[in-house]
Amino acid sequence: MDRPICLIECFGGLRVRRGEEIIADEVGSATRARLPHRVSLLLACLALRSGEPLPREVIAERLWPDQPPGLSRNSLSTTLSLLRRHLSALDPLLPTPDGLFIANRDQIGLDRSLVTTDVGQFEALLNTAREATNRKGAASPAARAALLAQALSQYQGDLLPGFYEDWIDSERERLLGRYREALRHQALAWEAAGDFEATLRAAEKAIDTDPLNEDAYRLLFRALIALQRPAAALTAYSRMEAVFKSELGIAPPESLQQIAQQLRTPSAIPTVSAPVPISPTPTPKSTAISEVALPIDIDLSAYDEPVGGALPLDSPYYITRPLDNRFFAALKRRDSIVLLKGARQAGKTSLLARGMQFARASGARVALTDFEATGDAALASTDSLFLFLAVLLADQLELDDDPLADWSPERGPAMNLERFVQRKVLHRDLPPLVWGLDNVDYLFGYPFANEVFALFRSWHNRRSLDPSGAWSRLTLAIAYATEAHLFITDLNQSPFNVGTRLTLSDLDTAELTELYRRRGALLGDSDTVQSLFALVGGQPYLAQRGLEEIARRESEQRGAGAELLNRLENDAISEDGIFGDHLRRLRRSLERDDRLLNVVRGLLRGVPIPAEDDLYRLRSAGVVIGDTIATARFRCTLYARYFARYLAVSSPASV
Amino acid sequence: MNAIFDFIEEQPPFYIAGGALPVNAPCYVPRAADEALFRHLTQGTFCYIFDTRQVGKSSLMVRTARRLRAAGHPTAVADPTAIGRNPTPLQWYNGLLSQIGAQFDDGGETEDALFAAWQSTAARPPAERFFHALHQTFASTPGVTLFIDEIDATRSLPFPTDDFFAGIRTLRDLAPSPNFCLLGVATPTDLIADPARSPFPLGQRIELSDFSLADISVHLNPPAPDRFPETILQRVLHWTDGHPYLTQRLLLALYESPARERPTTATVDRLCDTLFLNPSAREIEDNLAFVRNRLLHGYHDLPAVLTLFRQISEGAHIPANPTDPLHTALQLIGIAKPDASGHLTPRNRIYLQTILPLCHEVG
């Protein structure tokens, strides 16, 4: 049997992947095809069958419930050939020209030797986990929990959000039910394994998807008690009380009330017995995963440094930070402008992508513009940029209107864009729009940056005047790294001093610990976290890369975590070491700028940064951290050591 | 997607620092200017509000526009900065017209009428076409009011705009015709030099005052349980002396600080230092950046301005004189105002402490 060459994902939105790369989805971009709605429906229809062929009549009836059968059969053939064309990026990999589909006069199906689906994997993994539980003594609780975690990681969001067909609705409900059940089982398994932090997380997630789930609360309280965090348990209890009251108008069930009573009696806490003995730093067995044979080979450690800085949406290693929720809250409030600022590689792009997903799930339309990937043609002039933005919106939002049809040279580019956005994009019959703008700093160098920003600002002001007009249906989520005031002549004619402002910082030790735990099934002692933190600070990429490497080496049985880290530290600053590519890139970009290079060399000798501008530029490049010249320092020890070796004054120029 | 106890239902904070306040914002402080502007505009008087940044011009405009609409005056708001940096005269006037037209919620009827009139005079200069279109379209609609915000943007356009201001004056005599209200950081003579063509001598200047303690207690103290005690408000005023933006900013920081429940005057001082007074804050806080930039790079005699500021900060009794360009410059930079007895005085302690060192550095 041939290896599958592509993955169709239906959880959290429809996507077709080749490896890590998305080649088609509902949004589309320069590098991926946008699937029109009807084509998406056909693909969903086939994907949800896990490859079982479906009679053409059944498919046609689902796609065109209102059309006479003869007509819809024709439409189906056309739609199938459209679908093939949208997936043509896969053609070179296909063994036969028939493509991914097995289609004949009567039925259509997916070729299961070439295609897998996330729904299929999710269910297969859950079935394996269930068998592992039922088979007597087959798997340890930790292994079972790990297996469930793999299944759960497939579930990236509700099934096909934005599709309202009956046959999708019922499937969505069924899969959500399985997901909730699996979360509860996972919490139980972690509890049985004695890992209460993990129990806590699983229980929280279970409550998150079902805020009235008594079993999940019970697990949550038991975990908090086992972790000796009675205050947190009490807080959790009162919040639960509020949820029960507001949702059902009743008090929580009596069994839960008894727990609260125990909590309120301080002396009672230590005597509440957890199902298994408390271990102060639960350390999952390092061999947990290898105890069971996995039915589908999922490479948990696959993670390359993303060029644009984003973790895949489904990455199990994405850490949700409090800032994420503030971002989502702003999107949910439909704020006019949300600013996301953070140094290079602080996770802006990842967060923006998650925000877009959240916004879509909450009923908004979304569009995304990455100015770094915009291309020179669009940035040739004010007119080309504004036209590009209009075309991009029309395309991503699948509008039938052609912006060019009403683009008048007499009106000027900004007013043309404004007119198109107000009349067509924000039409009152359409849902609100969240427009993500990534790498906005890239515009700062262009003479027309001020014009773009003044236009955005005026939209914000327009909305102040008319809180229910067209402009109230627009949220701009703007991600950037640089101090805007260095480039913008007047911030009051820009979006940069209004709206909700969020600043991303590096991971702290608690978050690094959490990341470490997610690699946890493979890792040794937790001193490793502290040592790694000392080396790379909370720089998200370096932290991810370091943990991945430790996990990889350990799985190859080459020693314990701390010892590995020792070795890692020794070759960390080598350009052949694991951070080599990243460090080289950083060095090259510094070497292109004589002034900053000298500032860095000075900093190595203890000379303070000479000017605020230099501080801001080094900070946005992600090289230093600190609010003032006096407190500025290298972002992590690794950088300081690497620069000391490679950028010392006598160092030869770049290779 | 989210941890359970961070319910995604964060309320926006009570205060809003920066940008025009939405018409439904709870933290708006009505002042004497609100009534004056509304009264003059309903009487059809040409009005202008020329003051420094972030003192509530746009917020007042937005509110007044709503009140006028509610009172049956068709009203639109235009912002020339949105039209672009380098437009042709044709694009600029067309852009203004299209901003105005887009705000009449009548299915495009007004916009179409404006542009039909605009097209009918294609051979004429753009300014003439603009005012012709306004006059033609609104000839039978009394009470139309047009706000033009950021009017000082006309100074950086690549063509002269005297015809624009002169056109406002001419249009006045063609009643019924739309009335204008202009807002910006400028003086009338910055915008049009020729007094014979200028509309400003015939117009009403609207002045904005800083907030009083009473203003703040009534309008800028959030409802219980978040109310701040009067001593705290007094301490905020000690630093900002009611400057609209600085006051909102400091109160917002207080509101968001962990010490919100029991703030002391020391908390206020500490936040004031973090936000405004310490050297790196001066770079980050955009109000201070604006003030500094306008001071150092504005169209005025810098040494003379700095000397004047030093004199008034040392207590020199200099009566405020609205016709003295140095006095106007200080007020448009935003760092001085007349005190109760009409003498020019530093606007507040924050500017005093951040600007005075500059006087010594540069002067």
Side-chain angles (χ1 to χ4, degrees):
Chain A
M1 187 167 116
D2 292 311
R3 265 176 65 83
I5 60 162
C6 86
L7 168 67
I8 300 172
E9 296 179 328
C10 299
F11 286 124
L14 188 65
R15 292 168 302 272
V16 182
R17 280 182 193 277
R18 178 178 58 199
E20 280 301 314
E21 181 199 356
I22 298 177
I23 58 154
D25 62 12
E26 300 158 66
V27 181
S29 77
T31 55
R32 66 176 74 143
R34 171 170 57 99
L35 301 170
H37 185 67
R38 207 64 63 181
V39 173
S40 298
L41 270 182
L42 171 58
L43 187 60
C45 196
L46 300 174
L48 290 181
R49 280 291 277 205
S50 298
E52 287 296 315
L54 267 174
R56 282 181 184 256
E57 283 78 9
V58 174
I59 302 177
E61 161 68 26
R62 285 185 180 176
L63 267 62
W64 294 273
D66 306 318
Q67 270 187 26
L71 208 59
S72 58
R73 255 188 88 102
N74 268 343
S75 309
L76 178 57
S77 303
T78 317
T79 309
L80 180 61
S81 64
L82 261 179
L83 175 57
R84 284 195 158 117
R85 203 175 320 150
H86 279 291
L87 301 182
S88 61
L90 295 169
D91 287 352
L93 302 172
L94 294 173
T96 69
D98 285 342
L100 307 170
F101 307 98
I102 298 174
N104 58 28
R105 266 187 53 82
D106 300 313
Q107 48 186 20
I108 309 176
L110 287 173
D111 185 342
R112 271 193 288 180
S113 65
L114 300 174
V115 187
T116 50
T117 66
D118 58 350
V119 176
Q121 291 189 9
F122 174 67
E123 300 214 81
L125 282 161
L126 285 183
N127 294 341
T128 311
R130 188 164 56 198
E131 280 163 30
T133 317
N134 295 341
R135 219 164 48 224
K136 206 173 156 192
S140 72
R144 213 162 60 229
L147 203 51
L148 284 164
Q150 286 198 48
L152 290 166
S153 73
Q154 299 289 322
Y155 195 94
Q156 299 171 48
D158 286 346
L159 185 80
L160 298 168
F163 289 81
Y164 302 108
E165 282 65 20
D166 289 345
W167 51 277
I168 293 180
D169 285 350
S170 57
E171 194 66 0
R172 184 183 300 130
E173 276 304 303
R174 185 182 69 80
L175 290 165
L176 179 62
R178 286 205 81 176
Y179 175 66
R180 287 175 173 166
E181 191 58 12
L183 278 170
R184 199 174 62 82
H185 277 289
Q186 191 194 25
L188 276 167
W190 281 127
E191 187 181 61
D195 186 341
F196 301 113
E197 289 282 359
T199 311
L200 185 63
R201 282 196 307 277
E204 281 179 349
K205 257 199 169 149
I207 295 169
D208 203 10
T209 60
D210 182 6
L212 298 170
N213 185 331
E214 294 173 35
D215 288 343
Y217 281 111
R218 207 164 284 122
L219 282 157
L220 178 90
F221 295 131
R222 287 210 300 254
L224 285 170
I225 292 166
L227 290 164
Q228 308 199 349
R229 289 163 56 189
L234 268 178
T235 316
Y237 185 85
S238 54
R239 288 198 168 133
M240 173 190 76
E241 223 169 13
V243 172
F244 271 85
K245 187 152 182 224
S246 72
E247 293 289 328
L248 304 176
I250 57 166
E254 205 164 311
S255 59
L256 292 173
Q257 290 180 30
Q258 283 170 5
I259 294 181
Q261 250 157 23
Q262 285 176 325
L263 287 168
R264 293 200 177 96
T265 323
S267 63
I269 291 165
T271 65
V272 173
S273 64
V276 282
I278 296 161
S279 75
T281 45
T283 46
K285 288 202 188 84
S286 61
T287 50
I289 281 191
S290 55
E291 282 179 19
V292 282
L294 300 179
I296 296 168
D297 184 25
I298 296 170
D299 184 4
L300 270 176
S301 64
Y303 174 68
D304 298 320
E305 180 175 25
V307 180
L311 277 180
L313 276 174
D314 58 342
S315 167
Y317 305 126
Y318 182 82
I319 293 277
T320 302
R321 300 187 253 174
L323 190 84
D324 294 24
N325 286 341
R326 294 186 57 203
F327 180 45
F328 297 157
L331 294 178
K332 191 174 168 190
R333 290 198 304 263
R334 310 240 185 271
D335 279 6
S336 152
I337 288 170
V338 190
L339 299 167
L340 275 183
K341 188 175 142 213
R344 229 183 89 70
Q345 292 183 322
K348 293 184 297 297
T349 300
S350 297
L351 179 53
L352 198 57
R354 279 169 174 75
M356 296 295 109
Q357 197 186 31
F358 172 86
R360 183 179 299 156
S362 68
R365 292 174 300 153
V366 302
L368 186 62
T369 309
D370 180 352
F371 284 102
E372 198 171 356
T374 296
D376 292 340
L379 294 169
S381 69
T382 318
D383 202 43
S384 63
L385 176 61
F386 283 125
L387 187 57
F388 166 80
L389 293 176
V391 169
L392 180 133
L393 285 174
D395 189 47
Q396 290 196 4
L397 300 172
E398 298 192 50
L399 300 175
D400 294 329
D401 309 282
D402 177 4
L404 267 173
D406 197 21
W407 203 267
S408 144
E410 191 173 279
R411 210 177 286 121
M415 290 301 103
N416 276 314
L417 176 63
E418 175 169 303
R419 186 180 164 93
F420 179 70
V421 173
Q422 178 168 3
R423 293 188 162 202
K424 308 294 185 191
V425 177
L426 302 177
H427 191 275
R428 63 165 62 91
D429 298 339
L430 295 170
L433 169 67
V434 175
W435 187 3
L437 301 157
D438 200 4
N439 289 311
V440 167
D441 341 35
Y442 201 73
L443 281 183
F444 288 168
Y446 287 88
F448 43 77
N450 283 316
E451 300 188 37
V452 182
F453 298 137
L455 186 64
F456 289 166
R457 175 61 174 261
S458 77
W459 294 349
H460 169 80
N461 291 349
R462 205 74 68 73
R463 173 168 165 166
S464 307
L465 172 67
D466 198 357
S468 60
W471 301 103
S472 69
R473 291 189 286 277
L474 175 66
T475 298
L476 295 176
I478 302 177
Y480 62 112
T482 319
E483 260 59 19
H485 77 253
L486 298 181
F487 298 90
I488 310 292
T489 337
D490 188 347
L491 283 183
N492 292 297
Q493 292 170 6
S494 84
F496 296 104
N497 68 349
V498 288
T500 303
R501 283 172 257 189
L502 304 170
T503 305
L504 278 94
S505 49
D506 282 352
L507 303 169
D508 60 22
T509 40
E511 288 157 349
L512 201 61
T513 308
E514 169 63 23
L515 251 186
Y516 162 83
R517 297 188 56 82
R518 293 196 192 169
R519 306 258 183 196
L522 290 168
L523 291 181
D525 63 284
S526 68
D527 287 347
T528 315
V529 173
Q530 293 303 332
S531 320
L532 185 66
F533 192 76
L535 182 66
V536 303
Q539 210 273 25
Y541 164 71
L542 294 176
Q544 297 275 16
R545 186 77 188 84
L547 284 172
E548 179 208 349
E549 185 64 13
I550 294 168
R552 192 183 62 80
R553 292 190 188 185
E554 199 181 56
S555 71
E556 290 168 10
Q557 303 296 320
R558 291 209 260 138
E563 188 194 324
L564 283 170
L565 191 80
N566 258 334
R567 267 191 268 154
L568 198 67
E569 273 179 47
N570 290 333
D571 62 19
I573 64 164
S574 146
E575 293 206 335
D576 304 322
I578 62 159
F579 304 125
D581 287 343
H582 171 77
L583 294 171
R584 254 198 315 275
R585 189 157 48 231
L586 203 59
R587 175 163 69 87
R588 286 212 196 97
S589 66
L590 274 177
E591 282 170 346
R592 276 198 293 269
D593 187 321
D594 285 345
R595 181 174 172 94
L596 285 191
L597 184 61
N598 282 325
V599 174
V600 167
R601 284 179 174 155
L603 205 56
L604 287 167
R605 296 194 306 272
V607 181
I609 295 175
E612 301 272 357
D613 280 16
D614 300 322
L615 169 63
Y616 296 141
R617 292 181 55 211
L618 284 174
R619 199 165 65 187
S620 60
V623 175
V624 303
I625 47 175
D627 288 334
T628 63
I629 286 178
T631 58
R633 59 200 183 279
F634 285 108
R635 193 167 176 189
C636 57
T637 320
L638 180 69
Y639 286 177
R641 285 175 48 196
Y642 171 78
F643 290 143
R645 182 189 291 183
Y646 288 93
L647 289 182
V649 186
S650 60
S651 152
S654 142
V655 185
Chain B
M1 176 176 274
N2 47 307
I4 57 157
F5 290 139
D6 299 302
F7 287 125
I8 301 186
E9 273 173 30
E10 195 179 285
Q11 288 297 311
F14 176 82
Y15 299 101
I16 299 174
L21 301 187
V23 281
N24 48 3
C27 61
Y28 182 76
V29 181
R31 293 174 275 183
D34 290 55
E35 289 317 309
L37 180 64
F38 181 72
R39 195 179 65 246
H40 286 298
L41 288 177
T42 48
Q43 291 162 0
T45 313
F46 166 61
C47 293
Y48 57 101
I49 312 176
F50 289 170
D51 207 331
T52 185
R53 285 273 177 225
Q54 299 187 306
V55 291
K57 293 187 298 298
S58 298
S59 300
L60 170 59
M61 171 184 79
V62 159
R63 255 163 197 72
T64 309
R66 293 284 284 199
R67 278 178 77 184
L68 286 167
R69 279 184 192 170
H73 297 264
T75 300
V77 166
D79 177 358
T81 59
I83 298 171
R85 257 315 117 127
N86 208 12
T88 63
L90 191 68
Q91 289 175 340
W92 194 76
Y93 285 104
N94 183 305
L96 271 191
L97 207 58
S98 118
Q99 287 190 350
I100 291 167
Q103 288 175 55
F104 289 89
D105 194 12
D106 53 7
E109 198 181 310
T110 303
E111 192 173 2
D112 292 346
L114 284 169
F115 278 94
W118 166 268
Q119 294 304 349
S120 71
T121 50
R124 310 297 307 156
E128 203 180 312
R129 296 175 68 185
F130 174 77
F131 287 107
H132 168 80
L134 291 181
H135 179 61
Q136 190 82 2
T137 308
F138 296 124
S140 54
T141 320
V144 174
T145 309
L146 305 176
F147 290 87
I148 317 274
D149 202 0
E150 309 277 357
I151 192 65
D152 39 312
T154 53
R155 298 183 78 186
S156 46
L157 288 173
F159 52 88
T161 49
D162 282 16
D163 289 346
F164 175 73
F165 296 102
I168 292 178
R169 178 167 172 154
T170 314
L171 203 61
R172 257 181 106 252
D173 303 327
L174 297 175
S177 59
N179 183 28
F180 281 83
C181 176
L182 307 184
L183 303 93
V185 190
T187 65
T189 47
D190 290 341
L191 301 176
I192 175 167
D194 182 355
R197 301 182 72 204
S198 170
F200 296 106
L202 310 174
Q204 176 65 45
R205 183 190 168 122
I206 302 292
E207 307 219 22
L208 297 173
S209 53
D210 281 351
F211 301 155
S212 66
L213 180 61
D215 287 337
I216 297 181
S217 316
V218 176
H219 299 288
L220 279 189
N221 208 355
D226 296 326
R227 285 192 82 75
F228 294 118
E230 184 117 335
T231 49
I232 293 301
L233 300 181
Q234 274 165 347
R235 193 62 185 175
V236 169
L237 273 194
H238 166 84
W239 288 111
T240 69
D241 203 23
H243 183 290
Y245 168 79
L246 297 177
T247 306
Q248 289 264 9
R249 184 71 195 88
L250 188 50
L251 282 167
L252 171 64
L254 202 59
Y255 185 82
E256 288 184 331
S257 97
R260 161 168 154 186
E261 316 223 322
R262 287 182 167 273
T264 62
T265 56
T267 320
V268 178
D269 293 357
R270 189 170 44 74
L271 286 173
C272 185
D273 184 72
T274 319
L275 290 174
F276 307 120
L277 301 180
N278 83 65
S280 66
R282 291 176 205 175
E283 296 290 333
I284 296 163
E285 170 50 55
D286 45 74
N287 180 276
L288 299 179
F290 167 79
V291 164
R292 194 183 143 116
N293 193 39
R294 174 102 190 175
L295 174 68
L296 298 179
H297 309 294
Y299 307 89
H300 48 242
D301 176 355
L302 179 61
V305 164
L306 290 174
T307 309
L308 178 61
F309 188 73
R310 197 164 59 209
Q311 286 166 347
I312 60 167
S313 60
E314 285 161 2
H317 283 279
I318 301 175
N321 174 3
T323 60
D324 184 327
L326 284 183
H327 292 204
T328 323
L330 272 188
Q331 288 183 347
L332 286 184
I333 297 165
I335 53 179
K337 62 179 174 186
D339 65 11
S341 61
H343 292 101
L344 215 50
T345 177
R347 189 164 188 157
N348 52 54
R349 285 186 173 80
I350 293 170
Y351 290 151
L352 184 65
Q353 290 203 14
T354 50
I355 299 301
L356 205 53
L358 269 182
C359 296
H360 298 291
E361 250 172 62
V362 184

